[in-house]
Amino acid sequence: MRESIYNFNGTKKLIIGTGTLRRPELTKDLYMQRCHATQSIQYSLAVGQKLLISNCNASPYKTFVKRILPVLLCSCMCTFAFTQASVSTVNSVTNAASPVTPFISTYVSSTAVTSMFTPNSQQPPAWIYGQINCISPTPFSIALDTGYRGKNQISLANSNVPVILRPDQRLAAFGDFNPATLVPSGINLASITDAGGNIKLPNGNYTICFTARNSDYQIIPSPIFVCGNFTIACGVLINTMVRPPVGPLIARSLANENVGASVQIRNSSQCNTQMQVKLFGKIECLSPAPFTIQLNPQYNLQPPITVNPGVPLQLTSKDLLPAFGNFLENNLVTTGVDLASVKDVNNNIKLPDGNYRICFYARYLTSAGELGDNASDPNLGCGTFNICNRAGGAPQFTQPVSNLNINAGISVVQPASPLIFTWTPPQSACGLPAGGYTYDFEIRELFANQNVNDAINNPFVFRKTSLPSPTFLLDTNLNKNVLHEGRKYAVRVRAVSANLNSPVEIDNSGYSRIEAFQYGANLITYNGVPHEPEDYYIPFMERKSDFWDGVYSSYRKRTRGDTLVPVKEYIAFALTQNSTAYNLDAIELFLSLNPELAELKKVKISYTPKLPEFPSLPVNDQNDFDKEHGINLEPDKFEENKFLKYLDTLNNYKQKIPANAARMISDLTSHLNSIKTQVDSVDRVSVNLINTVLSELLYELRRSSQTLDRNQLNQLQGLVSTLQELTALSPNSTSFFYEFPGHKTSSLSSYRSHPSGHSQKISLVNNAIQINDDGPNHILAAIIKQLLPFDVIVYRYSKETPAQPFLDAPDLSKTYRIFYTLPNLYNHKNPEVNARSATRLASTVQVSLPSNITFTFWTLNMLNHKNTKPEDVDLKDVLSHTNKILPGLKKPSIVLKVD
């Protein structure tokens, strides 16, 4: 009779037509394949050896099963032989042990996998078929095609004699894992096949089974059928080590190996195979203001890391820096922080003080070189660290000398031995204990025509380095030639961290303020200016410039006679009339050119002083700057967007602000929100300056704890006050913003074209709009632009006596840089003058500055990297008084002494 083959349970078959129903397991459900396309005929062999028929709703097949099948079976055999003893069977037992590799062909051919077939009677040759089932997490199967006939044949000729499959036979049972011979279910083979054609199983729980089939493709029943179970738990483990101290410049800390990591294959006993991964980094600020900086998850340009079984692979900075995309902004994603607010002047990421953790995780590479699933847990592989790099103020003398006479113009010390010098150690701004510093102490002579800052360039008369404590006793008996009576000296001390790798930053590079003293009461006089420039300086609010302007104007009109002017007032008057900003260096320059004034208390207003003659700029440089100045007067969309972005950050941050600063910040945000629509009318330079202060404010808020200490609160108050002053809608021109009377528009520039052809200008003298012609006689009291172009000029003295200033010094272009800042901003925010407006720095440079703001200027010697003394320059003076007497004389200028 012809045989009919019906599948059941996916791999088992019911054979009809030989007189024997094979593999009649009492508890198995048998499924006939030839029912309806979506239905099946189910048989159950229950206790009592009865054949039960159910679950077939298709009428033709229901009739076949219930009527014809019993007759057909009975015609083929008189009785059903359902006993196990009458069936030819082969026991199949498969074991799977460690180590397991996800490359399945390697694993199947290894000694970890064994498979044995034991026939209960002599059998003809059989063909072996393998199947791998993923049980979890996502079920799928891979099996050899049942129609495959190749090297997978074995002999079962001896009854009850086990046949153990050789490695090549186990591979043959899977067609040597040739994808063309395999039948996958629930998975695409290409998704787990690498570039070399090797199938690599994903992590999960698996079974591996081998079945035997006869020459008719029928499964030979297996009373004992055992599958091997194995687990693939590969991937890598990352261990991150932090070696304190970690500096705020995090890229530098990684480059210096302050952060290290190792990677090893997880569960190496089962995963003894090489793998390639790519590394991803993440930095989390845990407190005081949480934020995250991490590599973009889609970034794929970091080099792959090859991990071998066995010893952990130690990662270096060459591996860790690319895990952050080398800290390039476009490669990073952030939460809770604006990356621009945590960058220094060199555009490097500088983390604020706080508690952090740094983590690394790995991702697989696909055969196409694309990023795959995570190979390690993203929440592990972390190390914690603290950043407390601000040591606060530099050391300051508390007892620079003994027997101090505070009533003298300069401190006078009576000769004694020893002289006691004491100073404060740097104090940590984030709770670190004071200490861990050594000190370099120095004394230099202060010559005539020099201020204390000049003395730093003089030779040492005494120097002591690596002092262990903030106290030094100078034994003048042992050091008799150090100090001489009647001479002046400058002292300075520098704090140096005892740990060369310490990230702690001290203000002013660790240098104290320079203190001066006179040793003994008998002053030794020198040729030159007998007084210090400080003796002539008058604070802005105390000057009477407007009054003396009027006196001089009346004198020139012959309505008033010559008048005596105090020398201090005359210097301020003469400088501002010459378009020179009033500062200590300008006073010193003026006195050096007119030394006779130092001997006078008053001078006639008709006095004609000798004024400095500064070098002129090359025509091309001047033209280039004029073009840029014109651009600077216009609004800038980039700066406007940055302002709005900072303001949004400040608005979103209000809930996290320390309690004792909440009202202050709330008032500020309310004010800034009220004027944000007017930012688009303000020039680029001014909005950039506002953004700089906003960035500093956000930086301070993020580094602050729950409650601000007094120093932090004062710093925050200073920044808030600066922002309010810069953005107040004021008619008195103390800010960038002000409203035209009768109008709702505001602009930094006070110059507006008028339909009549005249110019409409706002006068800072009477705060009223004036309609003036464009002639010079009508411009005197009006300010055309509040954003003024300034010449910044540096000069130096000769080394000979009497000292004469050099005003045209081309060599200065190679040795000095000029910087400026607002008083409330830290040094790392200070911009370099001319950084954007000139191709070279000469002894005269140009810069566009808002004229109603006080700036601090100083220079940096690029040869010895020393700063000059910071000079406060109040530009309102120049704005209010320049060119009133001689209009169009020259642009306003700021003079600075560099040596």
Side-chain angles (χ1 to χ4, degrees):
M1 164 176 185
R2 182 180 177 184
E3 293 183 341
S4 297
I5 303 173
Y6 300 91
N7 286 340
F8 66 95
N9 283 351
T11 59
K12 305 177 180 63
K13 293 185 178 180
L14 172 67
I15 312 301
I16 303 173
T18 61
T20 302
L21 181 62
R22 298 183 182 178
R23 192 164 170 71
E25 294 177 341
L26 297 182
T27 60
K28 298 289 185 180
D29 290 338
L30 312 180
Y31 296 92
M32 292 194 67
Q33 188 177 9
R34 295 185 181 181
C35 194
H36 194 268
T38 59
Q39 300 176 10
S40 62
I41 302 175
Q42 179 178 351
Y43 297 85
S44 296
L45 294 178
V47 178
Q49 308 293 327
K50 292 182 179 180
L51 180 65
L52 304 180
I53 304 172
S54 63
N55 248 2
C56 186
N57 295 323
S59 297
Y61 295 103
K62 185 184 296 183
T63 301
F64 171 78
V65 171
K66 292 186 176 181
R67 298 181 180 179
I68 301 175
L69 181 60
V71 175
L72 177 63
L73 291 175
C74 288
S75 67
C76 296
M77 57 182 184
C78 294
T79 62
F80 287 105
F82 286 120
T83 62
Q84 187 70 38
S86 64
V87 180
S88 298
T89 62
V90 176
N91 295 329
S92 175
V93 177
T94 301
N95 291 312
S98 299
V100 179
T101 171
F103 292 97
I104 192 60
S105 63
T106 302
Y107 180 57
V108 169
S109 62
S110 72
T111 57
V113 178
T114 60
S115 186
M116 179 176 67
F117 288 86
T118 305
N120 70 340
S121 61
Q122 182 177 353
Q123 296 279 347
W127 280 262
I128 306 302
Y129 293 81
Q131 179 164 334
I132 294 172
N133 302 298
C134 179
I135 308 302
S136 64
T138 304
F140 66 86
S141 66
I142 302 172
L144 183 65
D145 189 341
T146 55
Y148 175 81
R149 291 293 171 88
K151 297 184 295 183
N152 57 330
Q153 187 181 49
I154 64 171
S155 173
L156 300 174
N158 299 319
S159 176
N160 296 318
V161 176
V163 176
I164 299 175
L165 298 184
R166 300 187 309 270
D168 62 308
Q169 292 174 321
R170 294 195 296 272
L171 288 176
F174 286 93
D176 291 324
F177 287 97
N178 183 346
T181 67
L182 298 176
V183 179
S185 176
I187 196 170
N188 184 351
L189 276 183
S191 67
I192 56 173
T193 303
D194 67 11
N198 302 305
I199 296 175
K200 182 180 180 181
L201 298 181
N203 291 352
N205 299 309
Y206 293 85
T207 63
I208 181 170
C209 312
F210 293 90
T211 58
R213 293 178 181 268
N214 60 24
S215 59
D216 294 323
Y217 299 94
Q218 302 163 354
I219 294 178
I220 302 175
S222 300
I224 299 176
F225 187 79
V226 178
C227 293
N229 298 289
F230 64 94
T231 298
I232 294 178
C234 292
V236 297
L237 292 173
I238 298 176
N239 182 31
T240 300
M241 298 79 67
V242 177
R243 307 177 183 94
V246 176
L249 296 174
I250 189 64
R252 181 182 300 174
S253 290
L254 263 64
N256 292 339
E257 308 291 347
N258 291 105
V259 177
S262 64
V263 58
Q264 65 186 82
I265 293 178
R266 182 176 58 195
N267 194 12
S268 58
S269 62
Q270 295 186 355
C271 301
N272 59 345
T273 182
Q274 183 187 86
M275 64 181 65
Q276 280 195 326
V277 297
K278 287 201 171 185
L279 204 61
F280 289 76
K282 177 174 64 174
I283 296 171
E284 294 179 309
C285 179
L286 306 177
S287 65
F291 64 83
T292 302
I293 300 173
Q294 63 182 340
L295 183 64
N296 189 324
Q298 305 307 316
Y299 184 79
N300 194 19
L301 297 181
Q302 69 272 55
I305 296 173
T306 301
V307 188
N308 294 305
V311 180
L313 174 64
Q314 298 298 323
L315 303 178
T316 67
S317 59
K318 294 182 179 179
D319 305 305
L320 302 184
L321 285 172
F324 285 96
N326 293 310
F327 288 97
L328 298 177
E329 184 171 358
N330 292 338
N331 300 334
L332 301 173
V333 292
T334 62
T335 56
V337 69
D338 177 10
L339 207 57
S341 68
V342 291
K343 285 189 173 184
D344 66 7
V345 69
N346 296 317
N347 207 36
N348 298 316
I349 294 176
K350 186 175 184 180
L351 300 178
D353 289 354
N355 300 314
Y356 292 84
R357 73 171 184 168
I358 184 169
C359 308
F360 296 94
Y361 70 96
R363 293 178 66 179
Y364 289 114
L365 284 179
T366 67
S367 58
E370 299 176 348
L371 292 172
D373 295 334
N374 291 341
S376 69
D377 191 333
N379 297 314
L380 301 179
C382 300
T384 60
F385 62 93
N386 297 323
I387 290 182
C388 181
N389 70 297
R390 296 188 59 205
Q396 300 299 337
F397 284 99
T398 56
Q399 190 176 356
V401 288
S402 57
N403 304 322
L404 188 64
N405 181 0
I406 61 175
N407 296 320
I410 185 172
S411 302
V412 176
V413 174
Q414 299 303 327
S417 184
L419 290 183
I420 302 174
F421 298 85
T422 59
W423 52 86
T424 60
Q427 300 297 318
S428 171
C430 50
L432 288 181
Y437 301 102
T438 61
Y439 302 91
D440 298 338
F441 173 78
E442 60 189 44
I443 303 176
R444 304 171 192 257
E445 189 168 359
L446 179 61
F447 299 111
N449 301 325
Q450 287 187 326
N451 59 35
V452 289
N453 201 61
D454 298 330
I456 295 306
N457 295 319
N458 298 335
F460 297 112
V461 296
F462 183 84
R463 188 167 188 256
K464 194 75 172 178
T465 61
S466 302
L467 294 173
S469 69
T471 301
F472 178 68
L473 279 67
L474 176 62
D475 190 335
T476 56
N477 292 326
L478 294 177
N479 300 277
K480 293 182 179 180
N481 295 320
V482 171
L483 303 177
H484 299 274
E485 284 196 58
R487 294 188 181 180
K488 296 179 181 179
Y489 298 91
V491 291
R492 184 173 68 167
V493 67
R494 184 187 187 189
V496 180
S497 176
N499 182 355
L500 297 179
N501 295 320
S502 173
V504 174
E505 296 179 353
I506 310 173
D507 291 348
N508 198 32
S509 300
Y511 285 104
S512 71
R513 183 176 61 247
I514 305 167
E515 300 288 351
F517 68 94
Q518 180 181 314
Y519 187 63
N522 298 319
L523 178 63
I524 299 177
T525 60
Y526 295 89
N527 294 327
V529 180
H531 299 286
E532 298 292 342
E534 290 91 340
D535 298 336
Y536 295 90
Y537 185 79
I538 306 174
F540 177 73
M541 298 303 294
E542 299 177 15
R543 288 175 227 156
K544 301 177 182 178
S545 299
D546 288 340
F547 173 77
W548 296 114
D549 286 346
V551 170
Y552 186 68
S553 178
S554 298
Y555 166 74
R556 293 192 63 191
K557 295 176 181 178
R558 301 183 184 278
T559 60
R560 183 169 185 163
D562 210 347
T563 305
L564 288 175
V565 184
V567 170
K568 289 183 179 181
E569 295 284 355
Y570 181 81
I571 293 174
F573 165 77
L575 286 173
T576 55
Q577 290 299 312
N578 190 46
S579 303
T580 302
Y582 184 74
N583 64 325
L584 291 177
D585 286 348
I587 294 172
E588 185 173 355
L589 176 61
F590 187 81
L591 286 172
S592 67
L593 294 173
N594 304 277
E596 65 277 6
L597 294 180
E599 304 297 332
L600 303 175
K601 293 184 178 181
K602 293 184 177 182
V603 62
K604 291 183 178 182
I605 202 166
S606 61
Y607 177 82
T608 303
K610 181 179 179 182
L611 298 173
E613 296 181 6
F614 299 115
S616 59
L617 285 173
V619 175
N620 290 339
D621 286 358
Q622 183 64 60
N623 291 337
D624 291 343
F625 176 78
D626 290 342
K627 291 179 182 178
E628 180 169 342
H629 182 67
I631 295 173
N632 286 338
L633 288 170
E634 300 297 326
D636 183 272
K637 194 66 177 177
F638 174 81
E639 294 294 345
E640 177 191 350
N641 291 338
K642 184 184 290 187
F643 171 81
L644 296 176
K645 182 178 180 181
Y646 283 161
L647 183 54
D648 286 343
T649 302
L650 190 61
N651 285 325
N652 296 332
Y653 199 72
K654 284 193 294 187
Q655 302 302 322
K656 303 177 183 178
I657 293 170
N660 57 341
R663 178 61 180 273
M664 179 199 320
I665 301 302
S666 178
D667 291 344
L668 175 66
T669 54
S670 177
H671 164 65
L672 294 179
N673 284 321
S674 70
I675 56 95
K676 67 180 182 180
T677 57
Q678 304 176 50
V679 174
D680 61 357
S681 67
V682 183
D683 71 280
R684 183 192 69 80
V685 173
S686 301
V687 182
N688 175 265
L689 190 57
I690 295 172
N691 287 337
T692 301
V693 184
L694 266 175
S695 175
E696 186 74 16
L697 177 69
L698 292 171
Y699 174 85
E700 286 296 322
L701 288 174
R702 289 193 179 95
R703 63 177 289 272
S704 301
S705 57
Q706 293 297 322
T707 302
L708 298 173
D709 61 31
R710 178 171 296 179
N711 290 335
Q712 291 174 321
L713 195 61
N714 289 341
Q715 172 65 12
L716 205 62
Q717 180 63 66
L719 292 168
V720 170
S721 298
T722 299
L723 281 169
Q724 290 172 336
E725 291 171 2
L726 296 181
T727 59
L729 286 172
S730 170
N732 62 7
S733 300
T734 59
S735 72
F736 292 154
F737 291 84
Y738 60 89
E739 293 186 3
F740 285 99
H743 297 274
K744 294 185 178 180
T745 59
S746 66
S747 172
L748 183 64
S749 172
S750 59
Y751 179 84
R752 293 289 180 91
S753 297
H754 194 268
S756 65
H758 296 281
S759 298
Q760 186 179 39
K761 307 175 181 70
I762 290 183
S763 168
L764 293 186
V765 177
N766 55 22
N767 301 318
I769 289 186
Q770 299 178 352
I771 303 299
N772 296 326
D773 292 327
D774 289 331
N777 294 331
H778 298 279
I779 293 180
L780 301 183
I783 305 306
I784 296 178
K785 298 288 185 183
Q786 286 195 18
L787 184 66
L788 291 181
F790 282 88
D791 284 344
V792 182
I793 302 163
V794 294
Y795 70 93
R796 60 181 173 83
Y797 280 111
S798 68
K799 302 299 183 181
E800 302 171 356
T801 302
Q804 293 295 320
F806 282 113
L807 305 181
D808 189 1
D811 60 299
L812 297 180
S813 64
K814 299 180 180 178
T815 57
Y816 287 92
R817 288 290 187 266
I818 304 170
F819 295 83
Y820 70 93
T821 187
L822 286 174
N824 287 312
L825 295 185
Y826 285 118
N827 287 350
H828 70 272
K829 294 292 184 181
N830 295 330
E832 179 184 344
V833 170
N834 244 20
R836 297 183 58 181
S837 57
T839 57
R840 62 184 180 85
L841 182 65
S843 55
T844 300
V845 296
Q846 296 178 295
V847 63
S848 298
L849 290 176
S851 54
N852 51 356
I853 303 300
T854 299
F855 290 94
T856 297
F857 283 81
W858 72 96
T859 62
L860 171 66
N861 187 320
M862 300 303 292
L863 295 181
N864 57 25
H865 297 283
K866 292 182 179 180
N867 289 337
T868 61
K869 182 179 179 180
E871 285 284 329
D872 291 335
V873 179
D874 195 329
L875 303 181
K876 297 186 191 73
D877 231 12
V878 184
L879 177 66
S880 301
H881 301 284
T882 186
N883 292 341
K884 282 187 179 181
I885 306 304
L886 298 174
L889 177 65
K890 65 173 185 176
K891 290 195 302 295
S893 58
I894 301 166
V895 294
L896 303 170
K897 188 177 67 170
V898 298
D899 63 345

